[in-house]
Amino acid sequence: MRTKMLVATATAAALTLAACAHAPVAPAGSANAELAGLGAEHVKVGMAFDVGGRGDKSFNDMAAAGLDRAKKELEIEVTETAPAKGDDDVRLATLNKLVESGNNPVFAVGFQYVNALKKAATAHPETTFAIVDDDSITANNVVSLVFAEEQGSYLVGAAAALKSRSGTVGFIGGVQIPLLQKFEAGFTAGAKHVDPKIKVKVKYLSAPPDFSGFGAPDKAKQIATDMLDDEADVIYAAAGGSGAGALQAVAATEGAAFIGVDSDQYTSADAAVQPAVLTSMLKRVDNAVFQEIQAFVKGDHAGGVRRFDLKTDGVGYAASNQAEIAGLQPELDALRQQLYDGRIVAPTKP
């Protein structure tokens, strides 16, 4: 693991003064004059989205939020691509195009880029690549951004058990892979911490080599309906864009509640279904993307692994729906502190 330290204010000021003779003048009133002085305006950042792309109200939108923040605050240029539909060759072509367009660093959003990124990183050693949700690549120019999804899922699992009146809750996963099983394991453990007798129904939308589960809202809606008919009254969907279908089913069922994933899906939900969103497991891909771009702008171009957990504001739970979540927060925050301190260790495997 590598640790990136923010430059202290005094040191930053000294560097800025020393560089004045050579650095371009930052725009008047810019809150990022220091970064502009370090050449931030010359940085071009490329981003290749995962299945769903912008507008999925989940994983990709969080990555896009970090990119948008960096564009605004760090005064960088941005190039982004639509989701790469197809095999590894298509993904490799997508990454190569971003590099050839002068982008550095280049972000690959999602583990499905891993094989393509290995080849791209070897072919372009002068380019820094960052991949979200994979830490299997060891290369000097590859940064892995990974998360403690089990911790955030533990908290929303506890919320599900506190909210449930039937004693049955459901988990819908996009694809049955170890990454998504971290969500399942944490959710189940959190629910059973609150109620050891609670029943947790689990269903995945697809299994490798079929990754369609991240883009199958109709299928998620049917599975959610089946769970609701079988007494589940709180459903957690960790399935990317498919979660919208599960939310529709929950919203149409009186007394049922939905738990979103990655982004705060209460704030992004349509008004008709918004009240059904109890909370969301927050996976702060936006923070990870922004911090990596910020580090690059400040001169850190090295590879390595960055892990985001409760201690780094990498995961958590949303409290936007105060009408529903407020009464649960004291217990959830107590559990959050225990996870933070290590007194509770959320499992990563079911």
Side-chain angles (χ1 to χ4, degrees):
M1 182 186 301
R2 68 192 176 96
T3 302
K4 294 181 177 176
M5 304 287 294
L6 293 177
V7 179
T9 304
T11 303
L15 287 173
T16 303
L17 289 172
C20 281
H22 305 286
V25 178
S30 170
N32 296 284
E34 174 197 344
L35 292 177
L38 290 170
E41 71 275 18
H42 298 303
V43 173
K44 296 177 65 177
V45 179
M47 179 168 286
F49 285 110
D50 200 358
V51 175
R54 274 189 185 264
D56 69 348
K57 298 182 180 180
S58 185
F59 180 69
N60 287 283
D61 274 356
M62 291 299 280
L67 185 67
D68 291 344
R69 179 186 171 194
K71 181 178 180 181
K72 179 180 179 180
E73 296 185 18
L74 307 180
E75 301 173 9
I76 60 171
E77 293 183 49
V78 168
T79 304
E80 59 186 69
T81 70
K85 298 179 180 179
D87 56 18
D88 289 338
D89 289 340
V90 174
R91 294 187 178 91
L92 177 58
T94 298
L95 296 176
N96 283 338
K97 184 176 180 180
L98 286 171
V99 174
E100 291 160 5
S101 297
N103 294 287
N104 188 16
V106 170
F107 285 78
V109 182
F111 64 88
Q112 291 193 74
Y113 279 96
V114 62
N115 292 330
L117 192 141
K118 286 179 182 178
K119 295 180 179 179
T122 300
H124 305 285
E126 74 289 350
T127 299
T128 296
F129 293 87
I131 184 167
V132 179
D133 278 351
D134 179 84
D135 62 358
S136 66
I137 302 174
T138 302
N140 292 333
N141 62 327
V142 176
V143 181
S144 298
L145 307 177
V146 293
F147 300 81
E149 294 94 350
E150 71 280 1
Q151 291 182 340
S153 294
Y154 190 101
L155 293 174
V156 298
L162 290 168
K163 176 67 175 177
S164 178
R165 296 294 175 264
S166 69
T168 301
V169 298
F171 171 84
I172 299 176
V175 182
Q176 192 170 9
I177 54 175
L179 173 63
L180 270 295
Q181 289 176 316
K182 289 171 66 180
F183 292 77
E184 176 197 342
F187 178 76
T188 299
K192 289 187 176 294
H193 177 91
V194 171
D195 179 4
K197 296 182 179 180
I198 199 166
K199 296 178 181 177
V200 182
K201 296 183 177 296
V202 176
K203 186 72 174 180
Y204 286 88
L205 299 176
S206 67
D210 179 5
F211 289 88
S212 65
F214 293 121
D218 290 344
K219 189 173 182 179
K221 183 177 182 179
Q222 184 58 56
I223 289 174
T225 299
D226 293 343
M227 287 182 172
L228 293 164
D229 289 343
D230 197 21
E231 298 187 346
D233 58 357
V234 183
I235 292 179
Y236 174 34
S242 297
L247 174 55
Q248 289 178 355
V250 171
T253 305
E254 185 176 356
F258 177 79
I259 296 175
V261 73
D262 297 335
S263 66
D264 183 351
Q265 294 186 330
Y266 176 81
T267 61
S268 62
D270 295 336
V273 299
Q274 189 179 53
V277 182
L278 171 65
T279 184
S280 298
M281 194 288 280
L282 299 178
K283 181 173 173 177
R284 300 304 302 270
V285 180
D286 57 333
N287 285 347
V289 168
F290 177 81
Q291 290 175 27
E292 183 56 38
I293 295 173
Q294 185 180 57
F296 185 92
V297 167
K298 289 190 172 186
D300 185 350
H301 301 174
V305 178
R306 297 204 63 198
R307 300 187 185 277
F308 296 84
D309 57 12
L310 285 172
K311 292 186 176 182
T312 58
D313 194 25
V315 294
Y317 75 94
S320 298
N321 190 356
Q322 277 290 293
E324 295 295 331
I325 199 71
L328 312 183
Q329 282 188 267
E331 189 160 350
L332 295 179
D333 289 344
L335 288 174
R336 183 188 187 283
Q337 189 62 50
Q338 292 179 65
L339 286 163
Y340 185 97
D341 294 339
R343 286 176 285 161
I344 292 177
V345 177
T348 59
K349 296 180 179 179

